[in-house]
Amino acid sequence: MMEELKKKLLDLLGEEGFRTEESMAKHTTFRTGGPADLFLMPQNRTELKESIALLREYNVPYLVIGNGSNLLVGDGGIRGAVIQLYQRMQNISVEGTEMTLDCGALLSAAAAQAADASLEGLAFASGIPGTFGGAVVMNAGAYGGEMKDVLLSADVLTADLEVKTIPVEELDLSYRHSIVPEKGYIVLGGKLQLKKGNEQEIRERMAELAQQRREKQPLQYPSAGSTFKRPEGYFAGKLISDAGLKGKTIGGAQVSEKHAGFIVNIGGATTKDILDLIAFCQKTVQEQFGVTLETEVKIVGER
C-alpha cells in the first residue's frame, strides 16, 4: 500500500516535489530533527489538494510546515508525511497599496518588496524569518507591529478541501493566536493592506530594526527565535536571565549569552538537548519565580 502511495505522489509532484526519509534537520532553522517518512513540496493549490486527498485515502497522517523557523522536530523524526509550503509557493505581487502573497513567501522578501514600492506598514516584519502562512497562523509580530495590523484577508484550504477567503476580522488574531489551527485550516495565501510612504524613510526604519536585532539577538547560531511565549506581566528572557541561566548548556544547546529568551544550537545539538534545556529553564523559573513558561516554538515528531 505504501509503495503504491509513493508512486502516486511521485507521479503527482515529480522528483522535485517528493522525497522519502528526508532529514528534517535540513528544513528547520534549529538544524535538528530526524527523518520524515514522506516529504511533499507541492507547487500550487491543486497539487496540495490532490496530495492531501491521496494521503487521506491511504490513512497517512500529515503535518503542514512553512520554512521551519518556529519548529522543533524530535530526533526520531516524523511518521507519515510532511507537506512543506515554502520553496515552491513564494509568489508576491503588488497592486496599488495591496500586496498579494503565496503562503510560502518569506516575510523578509515581502518587506523588501513593500519598500521597493514605497509602501509602509511591513518594516516590522523585515527580520522575521518565517513565511506568510506561518505568520498568519501565529499572528507574527515584532517591534510593535503584527500581522493583524496589515492583513486584509487570508485564503485557506478547509478540512473539506474547499478554498475559502476569510477576512481578517474573522481570523480572531491575538498574541500568537488565530483560528487557523483550531479549524484545521491550511493558509494558502492572502492580501495585505499597506499605505503609501517614503521609500528612504522605510529603508531607514528597516535598517534601524536590523541593527537592533544584530545587537540583541544571537543571529550567528541556529535557533527558532524566541523559545518561549511572553508570560503575562513578565518577559521570558529576563526571568531566565534573573534565574542565572544565561549561557547554561546541555549538550550542543545553550541559553544564549546575548538574549536569554533564545535557546540556540551552538554546534551538534540534538533535539533532545534542546528539549532538556527548555525543561530545565521551565523548572528553574517556576521554582524561583512561580511563573510558568510556555514554549512558543512548536514541538512535533517522535522524541
Side-chain angles (χ1 to χ4, degrees), residues 249-254 264-270 273-274:
T249 59
I250 293 180
Q254 181 189 63
V264 294
N265 178 354
I266 54 172
T270 62
D273 293 340
I274 296 164

Side-chain angles (χ1 to χ4, degrees), residues 55-110:
L55 293 170
R56 288 182 178 178
E57 184 187 331
Y58 286 84
N59 292 314
V60 173
Y62 57 89
L63 170 72
V64 179
I65 69 167
N67 68 331
S69 60
N70 194 44
L71 199 62
L72 185 54
V73 178
D75 296 314
I78 295 175
R79 305 291 69 80
V82 170
I83 303 173
Q84 186 199 57
L85 302 180
Y86 168 38
Q87 286 159 313
R88 303 181 86 204
M89 294 180 74
Q90 283 196 339
N91 291 325
I92 302 170
S93 62
V94 175
E95 195 170 319
T97 55
E98 274 188 23
M99 177 178 280
T100 303
L101 305 97
D102 277 350
C103 51
L106 288 171
L107 289 189
S108 53

